[in-house]
Amino acid sequence: MPSREDVSYFGAGPAPLPTSVLEEASKVLLNYNDMGIGIAEISHRSPEANKVLADTKHALISLLDIPEDYEILFLQGGGSGEFSAAVYHMVSIWVEKCRKRLETEIEQEVATKRLRKKVMEGLKLDYLVTGSWSLKASQEAARLVGAEHVNIALDARKDNDGKFGKIPAEDQWSLTPTKREDGQGPAMVYYCDNETVDGVEFPSFPASLESKSENDDRLVVADMSSNFISRKVDVRKYAVIFGGAQKNIGNTGITIIILRKSLLPPQSELASPQLLRSLGLPIGPVVLDWPTIAKNNSLYNTLPIFDVWVAGRVMQGLNNTYQAKKILGQEGISQKKSDMIYGVLDKYPNVYKVVPDKSVRSRMNICVRIHGADPEKEKEFLDGASKSNLLGLKGHRSVGGVRVSNYNAVPIPAVEKLTEYLESYARKSANT
C-alpha cells in the first residue's frame, strides 16, 4: 500500500490539498482551539466560526488585493449553483433599472406595459462559450429565462470543426451593444476563465470587455472555479467572480464569490418578486440569493465551517510562503510547472497531441491524446502511469484522453516525476 508521499495525484477535482493543511485539519477535527470538540461540530453562529470566516476573508483579500468596495460570500451549491444565481441576480438588477427609467418618463400603468415589451425584446445575457462549463452555464440561463434572452456571443466550436479548443479573435464575437436605443446593454457578460474539461484558458482579461466609460460598463461575471488563486487577477474589471473550492482552494463543500458591493442593496435595487413573476421571469431560491447571503455574513443557513477553515488555511499558507509577492509567487510556480509538462509533450508530437490550440492552453488542466487518440494506447499509458503511482490522469468522461490537472497543491517533485514518465513512455513508443 503506497503512502501519501509515494503518490502523485493529478485529479481534476476534488483535487490535492497541501499535506500540511491536512495534518493540521486532522487535529482540529478532533479538538479545535482546545474546546474539547472538533471544528466540524461547532455552531456556525459561534464566535469561533465567525473568526474562521473573518480570517478566511482576510487571507483572500490579502492574496488577491481585493478592493474595499467588493464583498466576499461563502455559500453552497458549487459553481453550478452560481450558473443559476448569476442569472437570478443580474436579471433582477437589469429589470429594476429598466423599470425606474420608464417610470421617470411615463405614468406607472403605461410604464408597466412598456416594461413587459422591453423585457421581451431587450433583455439579453451574453455568454462566451469556450468549453463544457460555459456551455452548461448558457444552457441553464436558457432554461431559466428562455433561449431568446441568451446571446451566445461566442461559440468556440464554430471555429474548430465543432470541437472546443480555440478562442476566436475578439473582433469575431457578437457582444450585445452597451449603447442601444433603450439605454441598456446586456444584463451581464458571462465566461469561464478556465475550462476544466477542455483544457482552454483565457490568457488574460478580454480587451473587448474593458469598460470604455462609466456608461459603457459591461457587468462581467467570471467562473474561476479551476484557476482561482493561481494567477494575478485585476478584481476591479469584474462585477462578479466565483469559484467552487475543490480545485485550488480547499475541499468540496463551499463556493466563494467576490462581487461589487454596488450590486447589492442599498446601492443597487432589485426588482420585486411580484414584478418578476408578472413578467414571467424566475425568482431564485433564497439560499442562492446574494443580498440575503451578504446581509447574514454568509450565515443565512448552516455553513460548513470546516470547509471554510480549510480554504482559509490554504490561502494563508500561500500568503506566508510568498509574502510580498502574494499571488504573483504562486503564478510563477504554476507557470513553471505547466511549462515543464508542455515542454515534454511538444518534444514528442508523434506520441502526444495537446488538444487545445497553443494560444489558449490551460496552465491548470492539460488535455492530451496519445498516439492519435488510440484507445488501446491511451489505456496502456494510463496503466503505466498508475503503476508508477501517477494517479488521476484519465480525461473527462465526455472527451476521453488524458488530463493532467496542475493545481496549486501539486508539488514540483510530482511534476518532475510525471515528466520523467512522459519522456520514458515516448522513448519506449518510438522503439516499438
Side-chain angles (χ1 to χ4, degrees):
M1 174 110 21
S3 67
R4 183 175 179 84
E5 291 73 25
D6 294 330
V7 170
S8 298
Y9 185 62
F10 299 92
L17 287 164
T19 298
S20 59
V21 171
L22 291 177
E23 289 173 341
E24 189 179 358
S26 68
K27 297 175 183 177
V28 302
L29 275 170
L30 291 173
N31 190 348
Y32 182 66
N33 281 2
D34 293 324
M35 295 174 64
I37 60 172
I39 190 170
E41 301 165 296
I42 65 174
S43 168
H44 65 296
R45 302 196 187 280
S46 65
E48 292 81 9
N50 273 276
K51 187 174 188 308
V52 169
L53 273 169
D55 289 348
T56 303
K57 281 187 180 182
H58 178 75
L60 182 55
I61 290 168
S62 176
L63 193 62
L64 293 185
D65 288 321
I66 298 174
E68 290 184 2
D69 55 343
Y70 279 73
E71 183 63 83
I72 297 172
L73 308 179
F74 301 92
L75 65 163
Q76 297 163 69
S80 297
E82 295 314 299
F83 296 170
S84 309
V87 173
Y88 295 135
H89 194 76
M90 305 307 284
V91 165
S92 184
I93 291 174
W94 188 94
V95 169
E96 182 59 18
K97 284 181 179 177
C98 195
R99 185 195 69 80
K100 290 189 74 172
R101 183 178 292 110
L102 285 171
E103 288 198 352
T104 60
E105 299 172 359
I106 50 181
E107 61 184 50
Q108 184 174 347
E109 185 176 344
V110 177
T112 302
K113 292 180 181 178
R114 288 271 300 278
L115 179 59
R116 289 195 185 95
K117 187 173 187 295
K118 280 191 174 291
V119 168
M120 289 181 62
E121 298 176 356
L123 174 61
K124 294 294 179 186
L125 298 96
D126 285 4
Y127 280 79
L128 307 181
V129 177
T130 56
S132 300
W133 290 113
S134 51
L135 176 61
K136 287 185 177 183
S138 71
Q139 291 169 338
E140 173 64 357
R143 188 184 73 88
L144 292 175
V145 299
E148 67 274 15
H149 297 302
V150 176
N151 173 41
I152 305 300
L154 158 65
D155 185 341
R157 294 171 295 183
K158 294 180 180 179
D159 199 50
N160 195 41
D161 297 325
K163 296 181 180 180
F164 293 119
K166 290 184 179 180
I167 299 179
E170 294 186 37
D171 60 7
Q172 297 180 42
W173 302 359
S174 56
L175 296 164
T176 300
T178 55
K179 293 179 180 179
R180 304 188 306 184
E181 290 182 4
D182 61 5
Q184 281 188 272
M188 67 174 179
V189 183
Y190 187 108
Y191 76 95
C192 180
D193 204 36
N194 183 77
E195 292 282 3
T196 322
V197 173
D198 306 283
V200 171
E201 184 175 28
F202 278 83
S204 58
F205 187 84
S208 58
L209 303 185
E210 296 271 7
S211 296
K212 307 299 187 297
S213 68
E214 190 174 330
N215 297 322
D216 189 32
D217 182 22
R218 296 184 186 276
L219 296 174
V220 178
V221 176
D223 176 358
M224 293 190 182
S225 292
S226 52
N227 65 352
F228 204 34
I229 67 170
S230 72
R231 66 179 179 184
K232 179 71 174 175
V233 172
D234 186 350
V235 174
R236 289 195 180 278
K237 293 183 177 181
Y238 300 87
V240 182
I241 295 170
F242 72 81
Q246 67 275 12
K247 311 291 186 182
N248 277 323
I249 310 166
N251 52 300
T252 306
I254 58 166
T255 310
I256 299 176
I257 299 175
I258 305 168
L259 77 161
R260 289 180 191 161
K261 290 179 180 177
S262 61
L263 297 176
L264 297 170
Q267 295 182 59
S268 181
E269 297 182 42
L270 281 68
S272 69
Q274 294 84 356
L275 176 59
L276 292 172
R277 269 195 292 266
S278 72
L279 297 170
L281 294 171
I283 303 162
V286 69
V287 292
L288 293 179
D289 185 67
W290 295 339
T292 300
I293 303 301
K295 183 180 178 182
N296 289 275
N297 188 31
S298 297
L299 296 172
Y300 174 78
N301 61 329
T302 306
L303 187 69
I305 293 300
F306 172 67
D307 300 336
V308 179
W309 178 89
V310 171
R313 297 309 297 160
V314 168
M315 292 187 286
Q316 188 54 51
L318 294 178
N319 280 320
N320 293 341
T321 298
Y322 299 116
Q323 300 289 321
K325 287 184 177 180
K326 298 185 180 180
I327 198 61
L328 286 173
Q330 180 58 52
E331 181 175 341
I333 297 297
S334 296
Q335 191 64 55
K336 177 180 179 179
K337 292 189 297 175
S338 66
D339 287 347
M340 290 169 63
I341 298 167
Y342 282 122
V344 178
L345 297 175
D346 289 339
K347 186 177 174 182
Y348 299 99
N350 293 330
V351 179
Y352 305 119
K353 175 177 171 48
V354 179
V355 175
D357 187 76
K358 198 167 187 177
S359 62
V360 294
R361 286 179 176 179
S362 170
R363 299 162 303 121
M364 296 286 102
N365 306 104
I366 298 164
C367 295
V368 187
R369 301 312 300 254
I370 310 294
H371 285 292
D374 182 322
E376 291 301 318
K377 292 291 185 180
E378 290 185 338
K379 184 178 184 302
E380 175 188 82
F381 175 90
L382 292 168
D383 288 344
S386 181
K387 289 175 183 176
S388 298
N389 287 325
L390 299 165
L391 306 182
L393 290 169
K394 189 174 182 180
H396 191 271
R397 62 186 181 279
S398 65
V399 295
V402 171
R403 174 173 55 174
V404 181
S405 291
N406 176 38
Y407 296 130
N408 289 357
V410 174
I412 287 179
V415 173
E416 291 173 338
K417 185 178 177 182
L418 173 63
T419 56
E420 288 172 5
Y421 175 71
L422 290 170
E423 286 269 8
S424 173
Y425 180 85
R427 289 196 298 267
K428 180 182 175 183
S429 296
N431 295 325
T432 58

